[in-house]
Amino acid sequence: MDDLAFRSARALATAVATKEVSSVELLDHYLTRGDNIGAQLNAIVARNEREAKAAAREADRMVSQGEPLGPLHGVPVTVKDSLEVAGMRTTGGSSRWGHHVSTIDADAVTRLRKAGAIVFGKSNLPADARDWQTYNEVYGTTNNPWDPTRGPGGSSGGSAAALAAGLTGLELGGDTAGSIRVPAHFCGVYGLRPSYGVVPRHGSVSGHAPGSLAEFDMAVIGPLARHAEDLSLGLDVIAGPDRDNAPAWRLDLPPSRARTLREFRVVAWLDDPFCPVDRELVAAMEIVVTAMRSEGATVTERKGPVGLEETMALYRPLLMAQSGLIEPNASYDALVEHAAAQAEIPGFASELTVRYRDWHALDERRQRSRRRWAEFFDDVDVLLCPVSPTAAFPHDQRPDAGWSVRTLQVDGEQRPYREMLTWVAPASLNHLPAAVAPIGSTSQGLPIGIQVIAPYLHDRTAIRFVQCLSEVLGGFRRPPGF
């Protein structure tokens, strides 16, 4: 049964449909694993066993009666605790929403259920989903299954840790600043940041009060999985028009531009002086490039169409403007006053309280950046680049250690913590799909992932590419002890 816990979600659905295992047995197996080893990680922080078991019994009845089954029929899954699940607390990692009990499912959760999934729990995240570490006052700290002294990344850190440890069949996370991609990289699993707008976000409290209908700039919901094939399955289940557009809109994502590595036209951007990458990560990515060339892929090593410095000069103020929405009213009012008093020297407060006129100017520059990326992808299928400058780093929860104090160690040099933003920025800023695949490990045994960016709405191209990589390099490896 332990091996069963690490199968792909697609394989688990097949096992239930063919009666190799019942949905009730599979759910009990994941719950038991959570009871026995879950405390080492604190990844799944809330469970709804009663309703999940009832749903699993109904799933088994449908199998026995020969009724039509969905693509995730009977598969136990968990979701990030920024997504509403009816009858469960949805905290967003924040004490502000710590006692909120959802009365509805998030749209993406509804789609999981319609596909037959058994949603049995919630995974941990940092407060307000605003960190690349996963800890909060509500549920505490989540550890990395490869090294408990290190974090699993954030903000979907609980999601990635739970998958890596074999505690769930599939996960949903969110990503504005690498919140799917960084945890996938740190924990050695697969993740997909979908193209902006293809997965409805209604029912997410990441940056919103519960029940908000407003959109959130650059934010997406996407799948995390142990196996590359499940990114496609997860996207198929959750993607589509939101409820307001459903009467007229249809989503028809194009097929992958290529089917084999030999057919892909690839650009590799593996390092950059603006944000240096640890040499162990670069070496692992160079091995990937060599393997692709041996398979006949066309690989060119050069930068993307918009440099990292130019990208960050636009991405940071847009991200900060978005972050201002999260501030409580009293704090935001104080920021407005501070920004007015410091009008001649724009800074942190003015970025958080940006005027719409100024935001619109930023957005105009963003659209021009998007055009440059679209032109770049005229004769390129995917761009490969790092997810972050480092592998998983040690926990740092010092109360006075904010972003301006924390550092990252890159080849023995202390670098600013904010550089975690840099390599995830191009996809977020330009609304591009980006998949992450495990490709190896550091000398300390920590996972290394690679980021695969594809053209806007060509999510299937990014997914197919990581599937091809898994066929050549191998994919997910189980952490020792799990």
Side-chain angles (χ1 to χ4, degrees):
M1 285 287 280
D2 278 351
D3 287 336
L4 189 67
F6 287 91
R7 290 188 194 177
S8 70
R10 190 182 300 275
L12 292 173
T14 299
V16 172
T18 59
K19 300 183 182 180
E20 176 189 347
V21 65
S22 72
S23 180
V24 168
E25 290 171 333
L26 190 55
L27 174 63
D28 284 342
H29 182 54
Y30 277 124
L31 292 174
T32 299
R33 282 184 63 82
D35 290 339
N36 292 340
I37 63 177
Q40 300 175 41
L41 301 178
N42 191 39
I44 297 175
V45 290
R47 304 195 311 201
N48 190 344
E49 296 184 28
R50 182 177 61 83
E51 291 195 9
K53 288 183 177 181
R57 288 193 294 270
E58 173 61 12
D60 290 334
R61 185 200 65 77
M62 293 175 67
V63 172
S64 67
Q65 296 297 314
E67 297 182 17
L69 308 180
L72 285 170
H73 188 83
V75 178
V77 306
T78 48
V79 300
K80 185 178 181 179
D81 189 32
S82 56
L83 295 173
E84 299 218 56
V85 173
M88 296 190 71
R89 292 171 68 195
T90 303
T91 72
S94 171
S95 55
R96 285 186 292 168
W97 320 126
H99 300 289
H100 170 69
V101 177
S102 299
T103 58
I104 61 164
D105 286 337
D107 286 355
V109 173
T110 296
R111 292 177 180 183
L112 283 178
R113 293 194 198 274
K114 287 183 177 179
I118 311 299
V119 182
F120 74 93
K122 296 289 202 73
S123 50
N124 206 18
L125 72 163
D128 290 317
R130 289 201 288 181
D131 202 347
W132 298 289
Q133 302 184 80
T134 294
Y135 68 97
N136 59 65
E137 295 179 352
V138 181
Y139 289 123
T141 299
T142 297
N143 298 321
N144 191 308
W146 291 88
D147 180 350
T149 69
R150 298 172 187 266
S155 62
S156 307
S159 303
L163 280 165
L167 302 179
T168 186
L170 189 74
E171 258 281 356
L172 291 188
D175 189 310
T176 305
S179 291
I180 287 172
R181 290 165 286 166
V182 170
H185 162 50
F186 279 10
C187 292
V189 299
Y190 290 87
L192 174 70
R193 173 194 164 83
S195 294
Y196 179 73
V198 305
V199 177
R201 291 189 69 259
H202 179 64
S204 171
V205 303
S206 178
H208 287 307
S212 174
L213 296 177
E215 196 43 85
F216 208 49
D217 187 28
M218 300 184 286
V220 303
I221 292 170
L224 295 98
R226 280 182 295 271
H227 300 270
E229 64 177 350
D230 286 341
L231 296 184
S232 179
L233 174 59
L235 182 66
D236 286 345
V237 167
I238 63 175
D242 64 29
R243 63 183 71 184
D244 294 326
N245 295 323
W249 289 15
R250 298 294 180 269
L251 181 67
D252 186 16
L253 295 174
S256 174
R257 289 183 170 189
R259 298 301 302 168
T260 67
L261 281 181
R262 180 184 297 274
E263 298 170 344
F264 276 98
R265 299 166 298 174
V266 183
V267 166
W269 185 9
L270 306 184
D271 203 354
D272 196 288
F274 182 74
C275 183
V277 178
D278 191 273
R279 65 171 65 94
E280 284 198 276
L281 274 63
V282 174
M285 291 185 290
E286 288 174 341
I287 291 172
V288 172
V289 169
T290 299
M292 287 190 299
R293 285 179 171 148
S294 69
E295 293 290 319
T298 301
V299 186
T300 304
E301 295 188 53
R302 59 186 170 99
K303 296 182 178 181
V306 184
L308 292 178
E309 184 172 7
E310 182 180 352
T311 296
M312 286 303 298
L314 181 53
Y315 177 61
R316 175 184 157 82
L318 281 169
L319 184 66
M320 296 299 290
Q322 181 228 66
S323 297
L325 298 174
I326 302 173
E327 292 294 328
N329 290 339
S331 173
Y332 189 82
D333 290 345
L335 287 167
V336 170
E337 291 182 8
H338 184 71
Q342 303 291 326
E344 295 182 3
I345 311 175
F348 181 78
S350 61
E351 289 180 326
L352 286 170
T353 60
V354 63
R355 299 179 303 172
Y356 181 72
R357 179 185 180 95
D358 295 330
W359 185 92
H360 191 275
L362 292 169
D363 189 46
E364 173 66 21
R365 289 168 54 197
R366 189 225 315 258
Q367 301 310 322
R368 295 184 184 279
S369 174
R370 293 186 66 198
R371 290 285 178 91
R372 290 162 67 184
W373 276 93
E375 292 168 1
F376 169 80
F377 280 122
D378 283 343
D379 55 7
V380 173
D381 296 320
V382 294
L383 179 140
L384 307 185
C385 64
V387 181
S388 79
T390 71
F393 51 79
H395 296 295
D396 184 357
Q397 299 179 17
R398 294 169 293 165
D400 59 343
W403 282 28
S404 61
V405 175
R406 293 177 188 162
T407 58
L408 303 170
Q409 185 164 308
V410 179
D411 290 335
E413 178 186 353
Q414 298 301 313
R415 303 285 303 184
Y417 188 71
R418 65 177 179 272
E419 290 191 353
M420 286 293 296
L421 278 173
T422 307
W423 287 101
V424 299
S428 293
L429 173 66
N430 297 287
H431 296 176
L432 302 172
V436 171
I439 59 169
S441 59
T442 69
S443 58
Q444 295 178 293
L446 300 172
I448 298 172
I450 195 167
Q451 183 175 194
V452 180
I453 302 176
Y456 180 59
L457 298 178
H458 284 265
D459 301 56
R460 301 195 192 284
T461 296
I463 292 171
R464 179 57 192 158
F465 187 85
V466 299
Q467 289 175 326
C468 290
L469 277 187
S470 70
E471 293 165 6
V472 173
L473 301 174
F476 169 78
R477 294 180 300 113
R478 187 189 304 194
F482 291 95

